[in-house]
Amino acid sequence: MSVSRCRRAGWALLAAVALAACAGDPGGAAAPRAAAPLSLERVAAGVYVHRGAQQEFDGRNRGDVANVGFVVGERCVAVIDTGSTLEVGRRLLAAVRSVTAKPVCFVVNTHMHPDHVLGNAAFESVDGGPVFVGHGRLPGALAVRAGSYLRAVQRDVGPPAEGTRVLLPSRLVEQQDSLDLGGRRLLLRAWPTAHTDNDLTVWDEATRTLWTGDLLFVGRIPAIDGRLSGWLAACRELALSPAERLIPGHGDFHGAWRDTLARQTAYLEAVQAQVRSAIKAGRTLPEMLAQDAAADATAGRSAWALYDQYHRRNLTAAYAELEWE
């Protein structure tokens, strides 16, 4: 058996163990029922995006909290991210069918987080089975988190998450790859550790559209789950992109994307400066967090959705990274 096949088999075993740890039987989905298509916006020729709610997933939003969508070529379709639940994935598939009867040949996951990958199973057997694509480190990262992700979505979303399960990618991108949709090529890039350690971007040559996944948050506070310094490096590189539009993992995809990227970069730089200052002053993590809580954070709360849920987590993650500089 080749190294790559052994590696995939290992991730599959890890995922199976994680799934077995979950309450109930996530794989025991009922027969598919008709799904209402997700709302779509055609942002460029053949490029369709659904904008998720700027919220944590729960029963009210039924797990519909991330930007997902697809690109249509002359031969087939590439879906980019699939949402938090099997239901969201089925609704995305219904949205694809509302636009085109062309087969879905690829499903691309931009990173491991549950709101971007847990709808994969809705596409597993569609059109003979598309190829699932992700960063080279995505299977390992997702496999070890599968149990906790499924428990979280089942707990927080409730009945709308019924049948949701993990499906790992089989085509892995270590550096770069390309997907041929027939007369249309998508270029994939695997990034060094930034938002996560498995961020993947998708560049549509035909329309100069760049799908960033969660390398870009618009309106919703960025969440550090990788390396702050690596994310800032990615932001600087993204700023040089020749793209006409960026499709973020969350938030609005209209307007001047360089301005929204600059706002994210400014926030991350402010976190970096605050943490470095605290470390230089000899403050412990609890002391830094207490000082931050006492400060006037009104501006941050007004600038970012979910500020209270993630800002202190970001400070904590940054402190753990930067104290070893």
Side-chain angles (χ1 to χ4, degrees):
M1 183 182 289
S2 69
V3 172
S4 62
R5 288 178 64 195
C6 285
R7 186 174 168 195
R8 286 195 293 271
W11 298 145
L13 177 60
L14 275 172
V17 171
L19 296 181
C22 296
D25 177 15
R33 54 187 177 276
L38 292 176
S39 61
L40 291 174
E41 183 167 344
R42 180 180 177 274
V43 299
V47 179
Y48 297 84
V49 185
H50 168 74
R51 179 176 171 181
Q54 294 282 57
Q55 302 166 357
E56 297 276 52
F57 53 62
D58 59 26
R60 293 170 299 174
N61 56 48
R62 304 180 73 90
D64 179 13
V65 298
N67 292 347
V68 299
F70 55 95
V71 179
V72 182
E74 293 177 3
R75 178 175 63 87
C76 63
V77 177
V79 169
I80 302 172
D81 285 337
T82 58
S84 300
T85 68
L86 179 63
E87 177 186 270
V88 174
R90 287 173 174 165
R91 295 189 64 198
L92 176 58
L93 175 58
V96 173
R97 293 294 188 240
S98 74
V99 169
T100 179
K102 294 175 182 177
V104 176
C105 49
F106 301 103
V107 174
V108 182
N109 292 137
T110 61
H111 64 293
M112 66 186 178
H113 284 153
D115 50 332
H116 295 263
V117 303
L118 290 185
N120 281 6
F123 295 87
E124 184 175 20
S125 302
V126 169
D127 302 320
V131 177
F132 289 81
V133 187
H135 191 292
R137 288 194 290 268
L138 189 149
L142 181 55
V144 299
R145 295 167 174 82
S148 61
Y149 282 175
L150 286 171
R151 285 190 293 271
V153 74
Q154 289 160 5
R155 179 194 65 227
D156 296 340
V157 178
E162 180 183 354
T164 299
R165 58 191 177 88
V166 171
L167 188 65
L168 300 176
S170 58
R171 179 166 171 172
L172 305 182
V173 183
E174 301 295 344
Q175 293 182 327
Q176 296 182 0
D177 198 355
S178 63
L179 306 179
D180 180 12
L181 307 185
R184 189 168 204 149
R185 190 168 67 143
L186 304 182
L187 303 180
L188 311 182
R189 175 180 174 181
W191 289 73
T193 302
H195 167 60
T196 68
D197 73 350
N198 50 89
D199 298 307
L200 187 76
T201 53
V202 183
W203 170 250
D204 175 33
E205 288 184 317
T207 63
R208 304 179 74 82
T209 300
L210 181 65
W211 299 72
T212 66
D214 281 4
L215 285 178
L216 177 61
F217 285 71
V218 179
R220 173 173 171 161
I221 191 169
I224 302 169
D225 196 13
R227 292 182 64 245
L228 173 58
S229 57
W231 200 350
L232 282 168
C235 288
R236 289 190 287 270
E237 190 165 348
L238 286 172
L240 303 176
S241 171
E244 291 187 17
R245 66 192 58 79
L246 265 57
I247 308 299
H250 298 271
D252 192 8
F253 36 81
H254 302 91
W257 64 260
R258 285 185 172 79
D259 292 341
T260 57
L261 177 62
R263 283 194 287 275
Q264 172 177 279
T265 304
Y267 169 76
L268 295 174
E269 288 176 339
V271 168
Q272 184 183 64
Q274 180 178 345
V275 172
R276 281 180 170 163
S277 176
I279 293 171
K280 184 176 181 180
R283 287 192 287 276
T284 64
L285 174 59
E287 289 170 342
M288 181 191 71
L289 294 176
Q291 183 184 53
D292 180 75
D296 181 8
T298 304
R301 289 190 180 92
S302 63
W304 300 105
L306 302 180
Y307 181 90
D308 289 335
Q309 290 90 331
Y310 285 94
H311 176 63
R312 286 165 64 83
R313 295 188 200 180
N314 289 338
L315 292 175
T316 301
Y319 193 99
E321 173 187 337
L322 299 176
E323 67 177 332
W324 298 106
E325 279 189 321

